[in-house]
Structures are given as structure tokens and as C-alpha cells.
Amino acid sequence: MYDVLRSRYTFACPTRGEARVSLSSFRRLARLPGAAHPAVFQVEFECACGELHVGLVADDDLDYAPLGLGGGAFLNLMTSTLDAVADEFAEDSARRIGAGEWPWSFFCYPEERPRPVFPSSFWLLAPGGRAVGVAVRCPVCTQVSVNVVSTEHVDLPFHNDASVGVVPHVFAADVPQALEEFRAELYSSAFDVRRLALE
Ligand SMILES: [Zn+2]
Ligand SMILES: [Zn+2]
């Protein structure tokens, strides 16, 4: 499901059979009602074949597999050498989190502060050149903020941009026009720039 060495999720592609996509190729994430252990997310992603497809991913795979933690069957199927690499990833991740580093972070606009976050809090993503706009539902205040960040900020755990663009607008997460609102703000507005240094 997740290849920790290449930072790619594997999904099915109706044309090519298999699609290996990075987190920044996700376009929309929605938690499915019902299952809680694990919670399951429906992911709409942009495939290398040019189409948008839908795939399912468990919250463990979404949030912890990129850290080498709880990679499950995929990592267990690897050779002992790659298992050792995965263990190193896990150890390194645990050490960094213990030292106060966060794998992912964003700037919460309503709270006016950076917050640590996991990919399962990402809601909408839209690419723009080497940048990507990300709508994030804050795990603390539950409000939606839109940040403009590098693709590495999204794809690589512990790669946090020093500063990010922040759309000065609180998004209504549950209204049908939210997606259009998100795109319009992303392409029209001037961004505030905020430092992302986490305390
Ligand atoms: Zn495809
Ligand atoms: Zn918040």
C-alpha cells in the first residue's frame, strides 16, 4: 500500500493496472462513515494516466506508513534487508517526534498559529506549479485553513517549509460549494506569509 522508500501509495488504475502516487497527487480525502478501527478514507487522486481515480486507504496507512510505523502487510512482505530499513525509518521517526519535531504541520488561520497535523486531516489539494494548495481541517479547532506549500512539505515527513502561504479566509467545510470556493481563493487571492516554526 505505501512504499516507504519512494514515498508512494499504491492504488488501482483502470488503464495501467497500478498507480503509485505521492500524497501531493491526492486531490480530495473523505473519511467514510462507519468503520472506526481502522477508519477508512476515500481518496481521489490524480493518476499518471491523466485521469482522476478513487481509492480507499486505512488511516494507519495514511498517517503512519510514511513514518515507517505500522506499515503492515506491505512491509512484512519485504526482504529482511528492507525490513531493517523500515525499522530504521520507524526508529528515526520515533526519535524525531520524541524530540518535538512533527512529520507534518500547517498554519491554522483562525487560531493564528502553526499546528502539527497528520495527512488524514488534509481535505482538498490543488497543484499550482511547484506549489500545492492544501485545505486542512484543524485537529484542534476543527476549522478549515488553506495553506500554499511546497510538494515536499506534503510528500516528505519531517520536511516542513520554513514559511507557508496562508489564505486569509476561514472555509466552510461542509457546504457543497466549498471546493469551488477553495479553487477560487487559491488562484485569486494574495496570501499572507506565516512562519511555520513549531514551538
Ligand atoms: Zn490511471
Ligand atoms: Zn485550529
Side-chain angles (χ1 to χ4, degrees), residues 106 108 110-111 115 138 140-143:
F106 81 110
C108 178
E111 293 188 282
R115 286 281 189 198
C138 180
V140 178
C141 74
T142 73
Q143 303 264 40

Side-chain angles (χ1 to χ4, degrees), residues 31-41 58-60:
R31 189 184 163 150
L32 296 180
H37 301 291
V40 175
F41 285 76
D59 58 354
D60 279 3

Side-chain angles (χ1 to χ4, degrees), residues 58-75:
D59 58 354
D60 279 3
D61 276 327
L62 196 53
D63 290 345
Y64 301 130
L67 306 175
L69 304 168
F74 185 85
L75 292 175

Side-chain angles (χ1 to χ4, degrees), residues 15 112 150:
T15 311
E112 270 292 322
S150 69

